[in-house]
Amino acid sequence: MNFFAIIGRFTLNALAALGRLTLFAGQALGHLARPPFFIRNISQQILTIGYFSLPVVGLTALFTGAALAQQIYVGSARFNAESTMAAVVVIAIVRELGPVLGGLMVAGRVSSAMAAEIGTMRVTEQIDALVTLSTDPYKYLVVPRLIAGVITLPFLVAVANIIGVFGGFLVATQRLGFNAGNYLSVTMNFLEATDIVSSLVKAAVFGFIIALMGSYHGYHSSGGAQGVGRATTDAVVSAFILILLANLIITIMVFGS
């Protein structure tokens, strides 16, 4: 009976956490549709999430594209199919690796910062001060982050896709002896509009998840510095898991047939 009690307790706690997250997301979306909007906060979050994340996203995409090209070449050489390398690299990066790795890198950098910032405001009662000053915390803290996340992640992922394909191009032409013109021609012929659209849709969803997780765990943190640290960890872990889950769902919906 103790075993079943543990399972039941875990299930109830999970459902309660899911309910709190759903209510938080619903309230945030409700405030998202109504003015006023704090344009300065939105601009600041766009700069923080987008511009300052470019170096880490770009380097990750470059190294991943280069390593992917090398691995695909070695694997395809076993079947005398080296000519397919360019097509596989561009499809793998644009459909999966660009959005997922870009989302994970931004989640690790941004979700933790959001949770720490909002969590510190919660435990130091700054959020209560906002309410006292007749400023809605959702409008001032959560909505700008959600808007910035949804806007900036597609641009970051687009840059990551370009840099990742360029990394594969560099390895193919400088190390593996591929002709640059032929490589680019194959890349353009196999890249379809559906691949690009699905990549950008994934990026927008990932941006919403990153901002939502950082804001949610920071907003509901408690227990002083230890609680803020716990909220930071929970924000990153939950963002990672939801990004991978959302990637699977979107992939099945778009390419399942």
Side-chain angles (χ1 to χ4, degrees), residues 7 12 28 53 57 69 71 79 122 193 211:
I7 295 178
L12 291 176
S53 297
V57 172
Q71 291 283 15
F79 311 99
R122 168 61 72 187

Side-chain angles (χ1 to χ4, degrees), residues 199-220:
S199 179
L200 298 181
V201 169
K202 286 182 180 181
V205 174
F206 296 167
F208 180 82
I209 291 173
I210 291 168
L212 181 66
M213 290 298 101
S215 302
Y216 170 77
H217 288 286
Y219 194 87
H220 291 284

Side-chain angles (χ1 to χ4, degrees), residues 90-100 153-155 157-158 161 190-207 243 246-256:
V90 68
I91 290 175
I93 289 178
V94 174
R95 286 188 181 184
E96 291 295 324
L97 294 179
V100 172
L153 256 294
F155 288 99
V157 168
N161 292 339
F190 277 86
L191 184 63
E192 299 179 353
T194 305
D195 302 329
I196 299 175
V197 172
S198 67
S199 179
L200 298 181
V201 169
K202 286 182 180 181
V205 174
F206 296 167
I243 284 173
N247 176 68
L248 174 61
I249 294 173
I250 297 174
T251 299
I252 293 175
M253 291 175 60
V254 177
F255 302 105

Side-chain angles (χ1 to χ4, degrees), residues 47-50 52-53 56 104-114:
L47 187 66
T48 301
I49 298 172
F52 293 139
S53 297
V56 64
L104 293 179
M105 296 306 296
V106 175
R109 181 187 174 274
V110 173
S111 283
S112 56
M114 288 183 181

Side-chain angles (χ1 to χ4, degrees), residues 66-231:
L68 181 66
Q70 181 66 49
Q71 291 283 15
I72 291 175
Y73 179 81
V74 173
S76 60
R78 301 176 183 177
F79 311 99
N80 296 321
E82 295 91 335
S83 60
T84 62
M85 190 190 75
V88 177
V89 167
V90 68
I91 290 175
I93 289 178
V94 174
R95 286 188 181 184
E96 291 295 324
L97 294 179
V100 172
L101 290 179
L104 293 179
M105 296 306 296
V106 175
R109 181 187 174 274
V110 173
S111 283
S112 56
M114 288 183 181
E117 181 180 355
I118 298 178
T120 301
M121 295 181 67
R122 168 61 72 187
V123 299
T124 57
E125 299 181 353
Q126 295 181 50
I127 294 180
D128 297 330
L130 288 176
V131 176
T132 303
L133 295 172
S134 299
T135 302
D136 194 318
Y138 283 89
K139 282 288 186 184
Y140 190 79
L141 298 175
V142 180
V143 170
R145 287 167 170 80
L146 293 178
I147 294 176
V150 173
I151 291 175
T152 56
L153 256 294
F155 288 99
L156 285 175
V157 168
V159 172
N161 292 339
I162 294 171
I163 295 177
V165 173
F166 178 70
F169 171 81
L170 284 179
V171 170
T173 56
Q174 302 301 318
R175 176 178 172 81
L176 302 177
F178 280 74
N179 179 270
N182 290 339
Y183 188 95
L184 292 177
S185 177
V186 173
T187 297
M188 296 302 296
N189 288 336
F190 277 86
L191 184 63
E192 299 179 353
T194 305
D195 302 329
I196 299 175
V197 172
S198 67
S199 179
L200 298 181
V201 169
K202 286 182 180 181
V205 174
F206 296 167
F208 180 82
I209 291 173
I210 291 168
L212 181 66
M213 290 298 101
S215 302
Y216 170 77
H217 288 286
Y219 194 87
H220 291 284
S221 64
S222 60
Q226 186 177 5
V228 174
R230 186 167 53 251

